[in-house]
Amino acid sequence: MKRILTGIKPTGKIHLGNYLGFIKDLLIFQKRYEVFLMIADLHAQTIPYQPKELKNNVIELTKSLLALGVDPRQSIIFKQSDISAHLYLCWFLSCLSYIGELERMHEFKEQKERFKKIGVGAGILLYPVLQAADILIYNADLVPVGKDQIQHLELARELARRFNQRFGKTFKIPEAYFNPETEKIMSLDDPSKKMSKSLPEGCLEIFASAKEIKDKIFRSVTDSEKIIKYDPLKKPGISNLIIIYKHLTNKSIDEIENEFRGLMYNDLKEKIYLKFIQYFSSAQSRYQQIKEKDVITILEQGKKKAEKVAQDNLAKIFKLVGLK
Ligand code: TRP
C-alpha cells in the first residue's frame, strides 16, 4: 500500500481554503492509503511565536482535523516534536545540503525579507531540510502539497538522491501529489490574494461562530455590475464566491449562473452562508464534543505508531552514516 505523508503547521485555525485545498483530499486518501498526518510544531517555531499559543494551536488543529473526518483508525495523526528521529535525520541531511541551495528557496527569501528588522533565524534556512527529514524518515511515496511547497519537495527528492549516493540506497524518492482539480480559494476581502490566516477579514474559519461566518460572507468584496457570472479576470470577487458555492453544493458553474440569473449578490451570499453552515454542521457538532484529553490520547497513539516506523529507519541510518 502506498504511504502518504503530509504536514500542517499549527499556526492558526482551519479555514475553508485549507479544507478544500488539502483536507478534503486527505479524507479520501485515508481510505485507500497509509496516511501519516503530522502536526508540524517544530516548523511553527521557525518564526516568532508564543509558547502557550503554540501548545493551544496543536490541540486546536488536531481537534479540527478529527472533527472534519480524519479518522485515527485510518490515519496516523501525530506531533512532529514527538518523534526525535526527524531531528537526527534533519542533521544528517543538513550536512549534505549546500548553504547556497537553501538560500535560494523562495520561502527562505520571503521570510528573510519579512523579518529583515529583527533578523531571521537559521531555523528558517533549515526549514526545508527538516521537511525533507519528515518525509524521508517514513519512506513516504506521496506527499500532498500546495504549489508553494513544490520547491521544498524538489529539495527533499534531491537530498534523498544525494544521501543514497553517498551512503548507499536508503530512501525512496518521494513524489509530490498535486490535485489538478483543486481551485484556489481567494480571500473574501481581497480576491487577488489566496485565502489565508494572515488576512483574517477575508478568511472563513470553519469553526467560527455562525455570526462571524455570516458577517464575513456578507462583507466580501464584489463589483458594481450586479451580474452573477463567472469571470475571474473581470469579476474576481463574484467568481470566488461562485467557486465556493460550487464546492459547497457540487453544482456546476453553469448551473449556478442559471440559479442566480436576475438575482442580487446578496442572494448568492445568503445561499453561501446557509450551505456553509449545512455543509459543516456535523463537523461542528463533533468539534463541540471532542475533549482535550481525547485529542491528547489520539496524539499519543499516533506517536507510538509513527515512532516505530521512524526508529526502525533511524537505526539503519545510524549504521550507514557511521555512528553505530
Ligand atoms: N511546510 C509545510 C507547509 O507549510 C508543512 C510541512 C512540514 C510539510 N513538513 C512537511 C508538508 C512534510 C509536507 C511534508 O505547508
Side-chain angles (χ1 to χ4, degrees), residues 92-234:
F92 306 150
L93 295 175
S94 69
C95 294
L96 294 176
S97 305
Y98 302 109
I99 295 173
E101 72 189 335
L102 301 181
E103 283 172 339
R104 278 196 298 275
M105 295 286 128
H106 308 307
E107 194 157 317
F108 173 73
K109 288 197 243 172
E110 260 167 48
Q111 301 290 10
K112 189 174 152 199
E113 190 53 35
R114 193 168 149 213
F115 295 107
K116 207 163 49 188
K117 287 219 182 80
I118 52 172
V120 63
I124 206 75
L125 186 67
L126 287 178
Y127 184 116
V129 184
L130 178 58
Q131 184 164 347
D134 298 335
I135 299 165
L136 301 179
I137 198 71
Y138 299 100
N139 263 315
D141 298 287
L142 277 186
V143 185
V145 285
K147 269 207 184 105
D148 56 337
Q149 293 291 314
I150 296 238
Q151 201 187 22
H152 288 171
L153 203 85
E154 273 308 315
L155 183 77
R157 289 162 58 85
E158 172 57 26
L159 291 177
R161 281 187 222 109
R162 215 175 281 168
F163 187 102
N164 288 349
Q165 230 158 33
R166 173 82 176 81
F167 298 109
K169 178 141 182 19
T170 313
F171 298 123
K172 279 190 195 162
I173 311 300
E175 301 276 339
Y177 171 83
F178 186 70
N179 186 345
E181 282 171 24
T182 303
E183 284 142 313
K184 245 201 246 169
I185 304 298
M186 310 311 275
S187 172
L188 296 182
D189 70 336
D190 180 355
S192 70
K193 302 210 171 87
K194 205 169 119 175
M195 183 178 283
S196 133
K197 27 204 172 202
S198 56
L199 300 167
E201 274 306 295
C203 181
L204 271 187
E205 286 169 2
I206 290 175
F207 299 107
S209 68
K211 176 168 184 328
E212 187 181 321
I213 290 163
K214 187 166 191 175
D215 286 350
K216 282 189 180 165
I217 293 172
F218 274 86
R219 263 189 272 129
S220 62
V221 167
T222 53
D223 53 60
S224 54
E225 208 187 40
K226 301 197 173 90
I227 300 173
I228 298 179
K229 193 167 123 257
Y230 182 73
D231 185 345
L233 287 179
K234 292 203 196 109

Side-chain angles (χ1 to χ4, degrees), residues 68 72 119 134 197 216 245 296 310 312-313 317:
L68 287 166
D134 298 335
K197 27 204 172 202
K216 282 189 180 165
Y245 191 65
I296 292 172
D312 281 357
N313 282 334
I317 296 166

